[in-house]
Amino acid sequence: MIHSRNRRLRVNESIRSLVRENILTTDDFVMPIFVMEGENQQEAIPSMPGIFRRSIDLTVKECKELFSLGIKSVNLYMKVSEHLKDNTGKEAWNKDGLMQQTIKAIKDAVPGMIVMPDVALDPYSIYGHDGIIENGKIMNDATNDALARMSVSHAEAGADIVAPSDMMDGRVMAIREALEESGFTDVGILSYSAKYASSFYGPFRSALDSAPKDNMDIPKDKKTYQMDFHNSREALNEVFKDIDEGADIIMIKPGLPYLDIVSKVREAIDLPIAVYNVSGEYAMVKAAAQNGWLDNDKTIIESLTCFKRAGADLIFTYFAKEAAMILNK
């Protein structure tokens, strides 16, 4: 005779929901947003169905809708004009730059929205790299100085949390010290601590034209600063260093192929963990759903819930708006 039957707690939805371990809500989501120059402008991103580059006015409109759906945080990326790119990244801390104007506009229109601007030089670089280049090499410390100036500029514009995604050594400390010295003691740092050199970033790079250029005497990829996808223990090393340097939230990127890293980090730290459900993951689900191979809504909710199960607190996802609509039903 069987005395212990696990199926007793799966008999119906009411029982299943009663003992459910992880619940997905709109509070978990951060929506990445692409911003472009102009007014009343919107451009579709072919490799990311349903995602657009928008001018500031339409970005503000979108943020109002997101907030009404229960999404309380956005992550900002700029499509920078070619004539503004160089090897210093100086446009990144232009007080009247596209990023700075966007931050101000969102905070003015939706004060309760948490604005997390991306901190990295690749959208501003003529080389498409996250760092300043000298003699064909990515210069770590010079890049940190630029990232610190960029972060302070974002804080001045009204950013709540800055999100360095560059993977330079020591940049969290450089940014933390610069923010403290400038009086921005309440501005948080969400550090991309375990960001892997991944093939899943392709659609994102096409959206911003931020891929490394392959016609120059420079590194053809980002493997000298982003992590080797063969490694997992190295992720903990990166995480612990960023925490020591003053990070408030830890990011792991990409998401679904790296749930083992999320779980490993969750067991090791108490700080909030963010995970990035990246553009390639989004594109794969959308392509399969459009071909009728997957149920779009069910796959979205299942995949996002997996991040919570693995230990993530925040989920950066292009599905955020769509998932909110599904959950709000």
Side-chain angles (χ1 to χ4, degrees):
M1 180 181 297
I2 302 174
H3 294 283
S4 178
R5 296 180 182 268
N6 291 338
R7 289 182 57 191
R8 293 184 189 122
L9 300 182
R10 303 173 192 152
V11 169
N12 56 48
E13 176 57 23
S14 294
I15 291 177
R16 291 192 297 271
S17 63
L18 190 66
V19 298
R20 191 159 287 153
E21 298 174 26
N22 295 285
I23 306 296
L24 188 70
T25 78
T26 57
D27 290 335
D28 300 318
F29 301 148
V30 180
M31 180 70 183
I33 289 182
F34 300 112
V35 184
M36 60 182 290
E37 297 281 2
E39 186 174 348
N40 197 32
Q41 296 294 310
Q42 177 171 287
E43 295 178 353
I45 301 170
S47 57
M48 300 174 69
I51 303 299
F52 302 88
R53 288 182 290 263
R54 296 182 176 91
S55 53
I56 293 177
D57 55 330
L58 296 187
T59 296
V60 168
K61 182 179 178 181
E62 179 72 1
C63 286
K64 290 179 178 179
E65 184 175 357
L66 292 171
F67 200 76
S68 72
L69 290 169
I71 297 169
K72 300 168 185 172
S73 182
V74 291
N75 177 218
L76 302 180
Y77 299 90
M78 302 296 112
K79 177 67 169 66
V80 180
S81 299
E82 288 298 319
H83 74 279
L84 296 174
K85 297 182 180 183
D86 62 12
N87 188 36
T88 70
K90 64 179 183 297
E91 179 61 22
W93 54 85
N94 177 2
K95 64 182 179 63
D96 298 316
L98 184 61
M99 176 68 88
Q100 289 74 8
Q101 292 183 53
T102 303
I103 295 169
K104 291 175 183 176
I106 294 173
K107 292 302 291 185
D108 286 345
V110 195
M113 182 68 84
I114 300 301
V115 178
M116 300 185 190
D118 180 62
V119 177
L121 297 185
D122 50 335
Y124 303 89
S125 169
I126 55 173
Y127 300 117
H129 271 287
D130 293 57
I132 294 169
I133 294 180
E134 292 181 14
N135 300 318
K137 294 183 179 180
I138 312 297
M139 305 304 293
N140 191 93
D141 296 3
T143 298
N144 284 348
D145 292 340
L147 296 173
R149 295 186 67 177
M150 186 178 183
S151 298
V152 170
S153 178
H154 292 173
E156 290 172 343
D160 301 282
I161 298 172
V162 295
S165 63
D166 56 286
M167 288 297 288
M168 297 296 121
D169 292 333
R171 92 277 205 215
V172 172
M173 182 178 293
I175 292 170
R176 183 76 272 160
E177 290 179 349
L179 290 172
E180 295 288 319
E181 290 170 2
S182 300
F184 296 109
T185 56
D186 292 334
V187 173
I189 298 176
L190 184 150
S191 174
Y192 288 59
S193 299
K195 180 179 180 180
Y196 285 82
S198 172
S199 299
F200 287 89
Y201 303 148
F204 173 92
R205 289 175 180 171
S206 66
L208 293 183
D209 188 26
S210 61
K213 303 300 184 278
D214 60 6
N215 59 344
M216 301 178 181
D217 187 22
I218 59 172
K220 301 300 186 291
D221 53 44
K222 301 189 177 186
K223 293 181 179 179
T224 65
Y225 45 100
Q226 293 179 357
M227 284 182 57
D228 184 343
F229 65 80
H230 299 85
N231 299 347
S232 64
R233 295 192 303 272
E234 183 184 7
L236 290 176
N237 187 359
E238 292 280 0
V239 166
F240 292 146
K241 286 181 178 176
D242 283 0
I243 293 174
D244 288 343
E245 292 178 15
D248 301 288
I249 304 172
I250 296 302
M251 169 69 87
I252 296 162
K253 182 180 180 180
L256 288 175
Y258 293 82
L259 292 181
D260 61 316
I261 307 302
V262 178
S263 180
K264 186 185 292 284
V265 174
R266 177 73 292 161
E267 292 176 358
I269 71 170
D270 295 323
L271 284 185
I273 295 174
V275 65
Y276 206 129
N277 182 209
V278 301
S279 60
E281 298 168 50
Y282 176 90
M284 288 192 301
V285 171
K286 282 299 179 185
Q290 288 177 354
N291 280 283
W293 300 333
L294 291 174
D295 181 294
N296 182 77
D297 292 5
K298 291 180 180 178
T299 303
I300 290 172
I301 298 304
E302 180 181 345
S303 60
L304 297 181
T305 302
C306 287
F307 296 127
K308 293 291 294 292
R309 190 187 67 231
D313 302 290
L314 294 76
I315 306 170
F316 285 55
T317 179
Y318 302 97
F319 289 122
K321 184 177 181 180
E322 196 171 358
M325 291 179 176
I326 296 169
L327 292 173
N328 289 339
K329 289 178 182 177

